[in-house]
Amino acid sequence: MEKYFNVTGSCDSREHYMVDLLGRLEKIKKMIDDGKYFTVNRGRQYGKTTMLKALARYLEEEYIVVNMDFQLMDHSDYKSISSFVKAFAGNLITNRNCQKYMSDEIKEELKNMRKYSDRSFTLADLFYLLNQWCSEAQKPIVLMIDEVDQASNNQVFLDFLSQLRGYYLNRENIITFQSVILAGVHDVRNLRQKIRPDMEHKHNGPWNIATKFEVDMSFSSEDISGMLKEYEKENNTGMNIDEMAKLIYDYTSGYPVLVSGLCKFIDEEIAGTERFATKKSAWTKAGFLEAEKKMMSERMPLFESLINKLEDDEALRSLIHMILFEGKSVPFNPDDAVINTAMIYGFAKNKENIVCVANRLFETRIYNWFLSLEITTNKITEVSLLDKNYFIKDGNLDMKKILTSFVKAFNDIYGSRPEKFLEETGRKYFMLYMRPIINWTGNYYIESRTRDNRRTDMIIDYLGKQYIVELKIWRGEEYNSRGEEQLIGYLEDYGVDEGYMLSFNFNKDKKSGINTMIINEKTIVEAVV
């Protein structure tokens, strides 16, 4: 069977190109060997199920692994303790891996729990049976439960966790599971808050025995490089593996499904097109940028989940808008409910104690969504839409014309607006102006290293060529000179000879217009609004 990059369901190294999970599995096994109970909480499509399945195979020589998926349980299974017990027993008795380690008596009792609809069973009945199994089993038993989010809003599940906790604390006297692993988007504390919002039960939950799970499940550049080496052995594209791995990491920050998604686009949708006829031509920076652009135009479950959450949560929406458009630094605070929500869903990360959007692809998708809310009604978008063909020549963007036209349009439309309003939204207006011009033929992102409330570098990718525009608030000549020096260094990093500065100047005696200068053999076109 020919391998491929997988973005749906769990991955299997026998069928799919994958990063090597061995190092992570060794760390998790050490926690299990030590008898730890813990949760694996990551955003959607972060590789949790893939990790659990690989872990089950990795442990099978030393442990009996009960790998359950609460996604397979029906809502009716949580209506009562008895229905939950019957469903749980049914999961166990149909698990072939478990059956071969059970005595006939245990099997029969589980079948009875599942079979008799007229009998009520308690959690004590279930745990008595589990205790018997753990006592007679030839190897220690590890319980892994995936998709525990399916149990949210159910007191029955809380009671189940309480029983697990009780047996854990009594392990000196009662033989129970060697380890319990719960996996899902939310951690159990979040489930508690959803189930019991009253203050008495909000913080006194039954899962305070859990050890913190600190295994990094994101992919490093080296992880991605290893996966590409496996691909290269079979496809012989001649790609620069380390360069491609770094590109993929820079845009995804190692978010697993985004890594596989970009690779899948390059392999299956970019290679073989008119512009990239061979896989060799596709596995290049230009091919990568084409794949990234295509991914940004596709409806993917992860992106839909991201946008749906922003639509539904006004506080989260305000936080992300503040970070992306206003350039504000938001200190990380684990006790802040909004920041915690952003972290739980994988939309944000803690970078040197500052809250940042999790990766460049998320940023671009969120920018596009915010802009879409205004793009049909904003006057500055109407101007660029009318003149878009004027700005493109021989497949290249004429950034000098774009900046000249933007300065005129901005001053005509917004010149009389209050200073505070302009400072907070000026960058958004330039993005609104650019969106119709590049119109899915190109893309853009904001360089996170330079984003703050004074300076932002916008990178525009258009047909394989990159244009670097520094967007900043005017803070005087000295600050402006430092900005020019910084831009020169940035142009050198990107290997381009021309860069652009767009300054929003709110002084009454400002001088708007365009100025071109040569500094250290680099051309800078500066526009002042």
Side-chain angles (χ1 to χ4, degrees):
M1 178 186 294
E2 186 175 345
K3 287 188 176 183
Y4 61 93
F5 294 103
N6 181 43
V7 295
T8 56
S10 62
C11 294
D12 188 322
S13 59
R14 294 164 293 190
E15 300 178 31
H16 310 124
Y17 294 113
M18 290 178 57
V19 305
D20 185 358
L21 299 178
L22 181 59
R24 295 168 175 84
L25 297 177
E26 289 173 343
K27 291 179 181 177
I28 300 173
K29 183 177 181 297
K30 176 64 167 58
M31 296 178 70
I32 292 168
D33 292 340
D34 292 341
K36 305 298 185 184
Y37 283 29
F38 54 95
T39 60
V40 179
N41 308 115
R42 296 294 185 273
R44 300 192 186 283
Q45 294 188 285
Y46 215 97
K48 299 181 293 295
T49 301
T50 296
M51 181 68 76
L52 290 186
K53 289 186 175 181
L55 181 61
R57 291 192 293 270
Y58 185 70
L59 296 173
E60 59 187 4
E61 286 190 15
E62 295 182 40
Y63 295 102
I64 300 169
V65 180
V66 182
N67 195 1
M68 299 181 70
D69 186 347
F70 272 14
Q71 195 168 228
L72 302 177
M73 293 177 69
D74 190 86
H75 287 293
S76 62
D77 295 329
Y78 299 100
K79 283 185 177 180
S80 68
I81 287 177
S82 185
S83 60
F84 177 82
V85 168
K86 291 173 183 178
F88 196 94
N91 260 289
L92 282 179
I93 198 61
T94 55
N95 188 317
R96 286 179 294 180
N97 183 57
C98 296
Q99 282 185 19
K100 62 185 179 182
Y101 294 108
M102 289 178 180
S103 66
D104 292 339
E105 291 78 11
I106 297 290
K107 291 178 188 176
E108 192 62 31
E109 287 295 325
L110 287 171
K111 287 177 183 178
N112 288 338
M113 280 185 174
R114 186 62 179 163
K115 178 179 178 182
Y116 293 114
S117 58
D118 58 335
R119 288 178 56 186
S120 291
F121 294 96
T122 66
L123 285 171
D125 294 329
L126 175 63
F127 274 84
Y128 177 76
L129 194 58
L130 293 175
N131 172 244
Q132 282 188 303
W133 184 30
C134 292
S135 299
E136 68 180 36
Q138 303 146 322
K139 296 185 286 188
I141 302 175
V142 176
L143 174 63
M144 302 193 303
I145 304 177
D146 198 6
E147 301 289 351
V148 291
D149 302 271
Q150 299 296 317
S152 62
N153 295 316
N154 284 284
Q155 183 61 39
V156 170
F157 181 61
L158 276 184
D159 295 338
F160 173 72
L161 292 181
S162 294
Q163 290 286 327
L164 284 173
R165 178 180 182 273
Y167 274 76
Y168 174 87
L169 295 174
N170 233 343
R171 285 188 296 178
E172 287 187 4
N173 303 312
I174 302 174
I175 298 176
T176 185
F177 296 114
Q178 168 74 16
S179 175
V180 175
I181 307 168
L182 307 178
V185 173
H186 300 87
D187 62 26
V188 175
R189 171 171 174 153
N190 294 105
L191 293 178
R192 289 206 303 276
Q193 291 174 334
K194 293 172 70 175
I195 298 166
R196 297 293 293 272
D198 55 288
M199 289 306 295
E200 180 183 355
H201 293 88
K202 190 170 185 179
H203 300 294
N204 297 321
W207 205 241
N208 55 9
I209 56 171
T211 299
K212 187 176 181 181
F213 182 74
E214 296 184 304
V215 177
D216 187 359
M217 289 177 62
S218 65
F219 298 157
S220 66
S221 180
E222 290 74 20
D223 288 329
I224 300 168
S225 179
M227 178 176 65
L228 293 181
K229 285 176 182 176
E230 182 186 2
Y231 173 86
E232 185 67 6
K233 286 179 183 177
E234 298 180 8
N235 293 273
N236 300 310
T237 69
M239 76 168 88
N240 184 323
I241 290 176
D242 290 339
E243 179 184 279
M244 291 303 302
K246 185 178 184 306
L247 263 177
I248 293 168
Y249 179 80
D250 285 346
Y251 278 71
T252 64
S253 296
Y255 200 114
V257 74
L258 297 180
V259 170
S260 295
L262 281 172
C263 292
K264 189 176 185 69
F265 273 113
I266 296 172
D267 182 55
E268 298 180 14
E269 300 198 32
I270 303 305
T273 60
E274 182 176 353
R275 188 171 166 214
F276 301 96
T278 64
K279 288 190 175 184
K280 181 178 182 178
S281 62
W283 284 96
T284 58
K285 184 175 182 179
F288 168 85
L289 293 175
E290 189 69 15
E292 185 262 346
K293 180 185 71 179
K294 190 169 182 59
M295 178 179 274
M296 287 298 98
S297 67
E298 293 278 331
R299 292 181 65 87
M300 294 176 58
L302 180 61
F303 292 144
E304 289 181 0
S305 174
L306 170 68
I307 299 305
N308 289 342
K309 196 64 183 174
L310 290 173
E311 290 175 335
D312 294 340
D313 192 327
E314 183 178 354
L316 178 62
R317 187 164 66 246
S318 297
L319 172 70
I320 299 299
H321 188 281
M322 186 189 306
I323 293 170
L324 293 186
F325 286 103
E326 299 170 34
K328 293 184 178 179
S329 294
V330 178
F332 175 73
N333 179 358
D335 299 319
D336 184 290
V338 181
I339 293 174
N340 195 36
T341 296
M343 301 289 286
I344 286 169
Y345 285 94
F347 302 159
K349 62 183 176 182
N350 176 8
K351 184 177 181 181
E352 299 176 355
N353 290 317
I354 297 296
V355 181
C356 302
V357 176
N359 58 70
R360 193 176 290 174
L361 295 181
F362 279 2
E363 283 191 3
T364 302
R365 194 72 177 213
I366 295 170
Y367 275 124
N368 288 344
W369 177 73
F370 272 118
L371 296 178
S372 71
L373 302 179
E374 299 184 39
I375 204 162
T376 58
T377 58
N378 197 289
K379 291 182 179 179
I380 203 161
T381 301
E382 295 176 13
V383 176
S384 66
L385 189 60
L386 290 172
D387 295 338
K388 61 174 293 188
N389 293 330
Y390 172 70
F391 301 132
I392 302 170
K393 183 177 180 181
D394 299 327
N396 295 313
L397 297 177
D398 190 327
M399 290 301 300
K400 187 172 183 179
K401 285 183 179 179
I402 289 173
L403 291 174
T404 301
S405 297
F406 174 76
V407 169
K408 182 179 184 307
F410 189 93
N411 285 327
D412 288 347
I413 299 170
Y414 305 110
S416 61
R417 295 293 180 92
E419 176 179 333
K420 182 178 179 182
F421 176 78
L422 290 171
E423 286 200 18
E424 292 183 351
T425 57
R427 293 162 180 148
K428 181 193 291 186
Y429 289 142
F430 184 66
M431 298 176 82
L432 282 166
Y433 193 78
M434 286 300 306
R435 184 72 261 176
I437 297 171
I438 60 178
N439 194 33
W440 300 117
T441 302
N443 221 330
Y444 51 70
Y445 65 89
I446 303 299
E447 174 51 59
S448 60
R449 288 179 295 173
T450 61
R451 184 198 297 110
D452 58 31
N453 62 355
R454 293 186 175 186
R455 173 178 176 231
T456 298
D457 284 316
M458 180 177 177
I459 316 298
I460 302 170
D461 293 321
Y462 192 84
L463 294 177
K465 185 175 179 180
Q466 292 185 308
Y467 305 82
I468 300 171
V469 185
E470 180 180 311
L471 312 175
K472 62 187 182 65
I473 308 300
W474 181 273
R475 304 290 181 185
E477 287 291 349
E478 182 179 350
Y479 175 77
N480 194 58
S481 297
R482 290 202 305 270
E484 292 167 357
E485 294 172 4
Q486 290 170 330
L487 179 57
I488 292 297
Y490 209 46
L491 295 177
E492 291 175 351
D493 289 345
Y494 269 77
V496 295
D497 295 324
E498 184 168 286
Y500 311 91
M501 294 181 69
L502 176 57
S503 301
F504 295 91
N505 189 336
F506 304 107
N507 298 332
K508 291 182 179 179
D509 58 349
K510 69 178 180 181
K511 184 178 180 181
S512 298
I514 302 293
N515 181 37
T516 301
M517 63 196 85
I518 306 294
I519 303 177
N520 295 341
E521 300 181 349
K522 301 289 186 182
T523 301
I524 294 181
V525 178
E526 181 174 7
V528 179
V529 175

